[in-house]
Short mmCIF file of all heavy atoms in Angstrom, two decimals:
data_model
loop_
_atom_site.label_atom_id
_atom_site.label_comp_id
_atom_site.label_asym_id
_atom_site.label_seq_id
_atom_site.Cartn_x
_atom_site.Cartn_y
_atom_site.Cartn_z
N PRO A 70 7.59 51.32 43.34
CA PRO A 70 6.42 51.76 42.55
C PRO A 70 6.78 52.06 41.09
O PRO A 70 7.89 52.52 40.80
CB PRO A 70 5.87 52.99 43.28
CG PRO A 70 7.06 53.49 44.03
CD PRO A 70 7.94 52.33 44.35
N ILE A 71 5.85 51.87 40.21
CA ILE A 71 5.99 52.17 38.83
C ILE A 71 5.64 53.67 38.60
O ILE A 71 4.54 54.07 38.94
CB ILE A 71 5.15 51.28 37.91
CG1 ILE A 71 5.56 49.83 38.14
CG2 ILE A 71 5.30 51.66 36.47
CD1 ILE A 71 4.71 48.80 37.46
N THR A 72 6.56 54.40 38.12
CA THR A 72 6.37 55.88 37.92
C THR A 72 5.97 56.23 36.50
O THR A 72 6.10 55.39 35.60
CB THR A 72 7.70 56.65 38.28
OG1 THR A 72 8.72 56.24 37.35
CG2 THR A 72 8.15 56.34 39.71
N THR A 73 5.59 57.46 36.31
CA THR A 73 5.24 57.96 34.99
C THR A 73 6.39 57.95 34.10
O THR A 73 6.28 57.64 32.89
CB THR A 73 4.67 59.39 35.11
OG1 THR A 73 3.60 59.44 36.03
CG2 THR A 73 4.12 59.87 33.77
N SER A 74 7.62 58.19 34.60
CA SER A 74 8.84 58.18 33.75
C SER A 74 9.11 56.72 33.32
O SER A 74 9.70 56.56 32.23
CB SER A 74 9.93 58.81 34.48
OG SER A 74 10.29 58.12 35.66
N ASP A 75 8.78 55.75 34.16
CA ASP A 75 8.94 54.34 33.72
C ASP A 75 8.04 54.02 32.54
O ASP A 75 8.45 53.37 31.60
CB ASP A 75 8.61 53.37 34.89
CG ASP A 75 9.63 53.44 36.02
OD1 ASP A 75 10.79 53.72 35.77
OD2 ASP A 75 9.24 53.13 37.17
N ILE A 76 6.79 54.51 32.60
CA ILE A 76 5.84 54.26 31.53
C ILE A 76 6.29 55.00 30.26
O ILE A 76 6.24 54.43 29.16
CB ILE A 76 4.41 54.72 31.93
CG1 ILE A 76 3.93 53.94 33.18
CG2 ILE A 76 3.44 54.57 30.77
CD1 ILE A 76 3.80 52.46 33.00
N ALA A 77 6.84 56.26 30.40
CA ALA A 77 7.31 56.98 29.26
C ALA A 77 8.49 56.32 28.59
O ALA A 77 8.53 56.18 27.37
CB ALA A 77 7.65 58.41 29.67
N SER A 78 9.44 55.87 29.41
CA SER A 78 10.61 55.17 28.84
C SER A 78 10.25 53.85 28.17
O SER A 78 10.79 53.49 27.12
CB SER A 78 11.71 54.98 29.91
OG SER A 78 11.30 54.08 30.86
N PHE A 79 9.26 53.12 28.81
CA PHE A 79 8.80 51.88 28.23
C PHE A 79 8.18 52.13 26.84
O PHE A 79 8.40 51.43 25.88
CB PHE A 79 7.79 51.22 29.19
CG PHE A 79 6.62 50.57 28.57
CD1 PHE A 79 6.74 49.33 27.92
CD2 PHE A 79 5.39 51.13 28.58
CE1 PHE A 79 5.68 48.74 27.31
CE2 PHE A 79 4.25 50.54 28.02
CZ PHE A 79 4.41 49.36 27.36
N SER A 80 7.35 53.22 26.74
CA SER A 80 6.70 53.55 25.47
C SER A 80 7.75 53.92 24.43
O SER A 80 7.62 53.48 23.27
CB SER A 80 5.76 54.75 25.68
OG SER A 80 4.77 54.45 26.61
N ARG A 81 8.75 54.63 24.82
CA ARG A 81 9.81 55.07 23.88
C ARG A 81 10.54 53.81 23.43
O ARG A 81 10.87 53.67 22.23
CB ARG A 81 10.76 56.04 24.56
CG ARG A 81 11.94 56.45 23.77
CD ARG A 81 11.71 57.57 22.81
NE ARG A 81 11.21 58.75 23.51
CZ ARG A 81 10.41 59.64 22.91
NH1 ARG A 81 10.04 59.49 21.72
NH2 ARG A 81 10.01 60.72 23.62
N MET A 82 10.89 52.89 24.34
CA MET A 82 11.62 51.68 23.94
C MET A 82 10.82 50.80 22.98
O MET A 82 11.35 50.28 22.01
CB MET A 82 12.04 50.90 25.16
CG MET A 82 13.16 51.49 25.96
SD MET A 82 13.71 50.42 27.26
CE MET A 82 12.93 51.21 28.71
N HIS A 104 14.73 45.12 32.29
CA HIS A 104 14.47 46.30 33.15
C HIS A 104 14.98 46.03 34.56
O HIS A 104 14.90 44.92 35.07
CB HIS A 104 12.95 46.59 33.17
CG HIS A 104 12.63 48.01 33.50
ND1 HIS A 104 12.68 48.52 34.76
CD2 HIS A 104 12.29 49.08 32.67
CE1 HIS A 104 12.42 49.83 34.73
NE2 HIS A 104 12.15 50.19 33.46
N LYS A 106 13.81 47.45 37.49
CA LYS A 106 12.79 47.35 38.50
C LYS A 106 11.95 46.08 38.35
O LYS A 106 11.42 45.80 37.29
CB LYS A 106 11.82 48.57 38.36
CG LYS A 106 12.32 49.82 38.93
CD LYS A 106 11.18 50.81 38.92
CE LYS A 106 11.62 52.19 39.53
NZ LYS A 106 10.53 53.13 39.45
N VAL A 109 8.25 46.66 37.24
CA VAL A 109 8.08 46.90 35.87
C VAL A 109 8.28 45.63 35.05
O VAL A 109 7.54 45.41 34.08
CB VAL A 109 9.06 48.05 35.39
CG1 VAL A 109 9.00 48.26 33.88
CG2 VAL A 109 8.82 49.33 36.13
N ALA A 162 5.07 58.76 24.34
CA ALA A 162 6.28 58.92 25.16
C ALA A 162 6.69 60.38 25.29
O ALA A 162 7.00 60.85 26.39
CB ALA A 162 7.44 58.09 24.54
N LYS A 165 4.21 62.08 27.65
CA LYS A 165 4.45 61.72 29.07
C LYS A 165 5.69 62.40 29.62
O LYS A 165 5.74 62.88 30.71
CB LYS A 165 4.62 60.21 29.20
CG LYS A 165 3.34 59.42 28.98
CD LYS A 165 2.55 59.39 30.26
CE LYS A 165 1.40 58.47 30.16
NZ LYS A 165 0.46 58.59 31.31
N GLU A 166 6.75 62.45 28.79
CA GLU A 166 7.98 63.10 29.19
C GLU A 166 7.82 64.58 29.47
O GLU A 166 8.27 65.11 30.47
CB GLU A 166 9.12 62.87 28.19
CG GLU A 166 9.61 61.44 28.17
CD GLU A 166 10.41 61.10 26.89
OE1 GLU A 166 10.45 61.99 25.95
OE2 GLU A 166 10.93 60.00 26.80
N GLU A 169 5.64 65.12 32.60
CA GLU A 169 6.45 64.84 33.81
C GLU A 169 7.38 66.03 34.08
O GLU A 169 7.59 66.44 35.21
CB GLU A 169 7.22 63.51 33.62
CG GLU A 169 7.89 63.03 34.85
CD GLU A 169 6.92 62.61 35.93
OE1 GLU A 169 5.73 62.31 35.64
OE2 GLU A 169 7.30 62.59 37.12
N SER A 170 8.03 66.60 33.02
CA SER A 170 8.88 67.70 33.21
C SER A 170 8.10 68.92 33.73
O SER A 170 8.59 69.65 34.62
CB SER A 170 9.49 68.07 31.87
OG SER A 170 10.24 69.26 31.91
N LYS A 173 7.46 68.55 37.43
CA LYS A 173 8.62 68.80 38.22
C LYS A 173 8.88 70.29 38.36
O LYS A 173 9.25 70.79 39.43
CB LYS A 173 9.86 68.13 37.59
CG LYS A 173 9.88 66.63 37.80
CD LYS A 173 11.10 66.04 37.16
CE LYS A 173 11.13 64.54 37.35
NZ LYS A 173 12.27 63.91 36.68
#
Side-chain angles (χ1 to χ4, degrees):
I71 298 172
T72 62
T73 307
S74 60
D75 291 331
I76 300 298
S78 67
F79 141 76
S80 301
R81 176 85 57 211
M82 286 187 258
H104 207 282
K106 280 188 179 177
V109 176
K165 289 277 188 191
E166 289 164 353
E169 191 65 23
S170 173
K173 286 180 181 177

